[in-house]
Amino acid sequence: MDAIRLILTSRRALACGADAGEIMAEVWQAQALAQAIGSRLAVSGPPELRGEALGLTELAGRGCGVLDPPELDLGALRAAQLTELADARETLLCLGGLLGEVGIALVGMASSADDETTYWQCMEAIDAADESRDRVVEMLRKLAAREEALQRDETLEGEEALQGEETPEGEETVRGNGRRNSPSGAVGT
């Protein structure tokens, strides 16, 4: 299944969590999905993202590790359903939103925790979600820089192609110094 669909499913499930157990299970699912997406980007994503993607994989794994894993069968594990990551930018935008919502849900859980263990699990998971989101934001920045560089290269190639075209006989051309060359070879200003 496509990463974006899985993220949207996780966002809906997190929003519909009725009790603390369901919310914690959805937080764990979201972290596991972030880990799987990071792993996929590290292996087959744009080269500029590989370092940050590995960091995302590690941080999201830490987020899963601080929480008690939910009792799920393999078919219910969203991260295991990830088969396609078509658009890295859109996936990262959606994942950043999901991780932000995870952080908000964890803050709510921590503030209403009845025991110290749950409180500290939430706090550690909040740190992991925030750091994971920071990695996602950095990957989005790198993708934007990459797209800008590609556009700049395309523009330069287009300009070079135009400069290489011959000017029809009898027309003036403008040189880089702002002077005009007339067909007779005389230089004017």
Side-chain angles (χ1 to χ4, degrees):
M1 188 178 298
D2 181 59
I4 295 172
R5 282 184 58 198
L6 291 168
I7 292 167
L8 294 176
T9 300
S10 283
R11 289 178 86 168
R12 279 191 300 273
L14 183 63
C16 293
D19 62 18
E22 287 179 12
I23 293 171
M24 288 299 256
E26 290 306 324
V27 166
W28 190 91
Q29 283 259 44
Q31 290 283 21
L33 184 55
Q35 185 179 24
I37 290 170
S39 180
R40 179 69 59 102
L41 285 170
V43 172
S44 60
E48 299 88 351
L49 303 185
R50 293 196 176 143
E52 296 297 330
L54 284 172
L56 173 61
T57 301
E58 181 182 318
L59 290 165
R62 192 181 88 204
C64 287
V66 299
L67 300 172
D68 296 327
E71 294 181 21
L72 299 170
D73 61 15
L74 191 55
L77 181 60
R78 288 187 202 102
Q81 297 172 22
L82 178 63
T83 58
E84 185 180 346
L85 202 151
D87 183 347
R89 182 181 175 279
E90 189 64 28
T91 298
L92 290 169
L93 284 170
C94 290
L95 183 59
L98 174 62
L99 290 169
E101 291 170 11
V102 162
I104 292 167
L106 287 166
V107 167
M109 297 235 355
S111 64
S112 64
D114 293 335
D115 61 285
E116 201 169 305
T117 302
T118 302
Y119 173 81
W120 286 111
Q121 277 184 329
C122 289
M123 295 309 286
E124 289 182 37
I126 289 168
D127 286 345
D130 284 346
E131 290 177 30
S132 294
R133 190 164 187 273
D134 289 346
R135 293 294 171 123
V136 168
V137 168
E138 182 60 21
M139 285 190 277
L140 285 167
R141 188 195 64 74
K142 287 183 177 187
L143 276 179
R146 175 184 184 226
E147 289 173 13
E148 187 177 299
L150 288 173
Q151 287 176 351
R152 189 173 44 247
D153 289 347
E154 287 174 2
T155 301
L156 289 175
E157 286 175 8
E159 289 174 359
E160 288 173 0
L162 287 174
Q163 289 176 356
E165 293 177 3
E166 290 187 28
T167 304
E169 205 170 309
E171 291 185 20
E172 291 184 342
T173 59
V174 178
R175 293 174 42 183
N177 61 5
R179 296 183 177 173
R180 297 187 181 275
N181 287 340
S182 66
S184 63
V187 177
T189 54

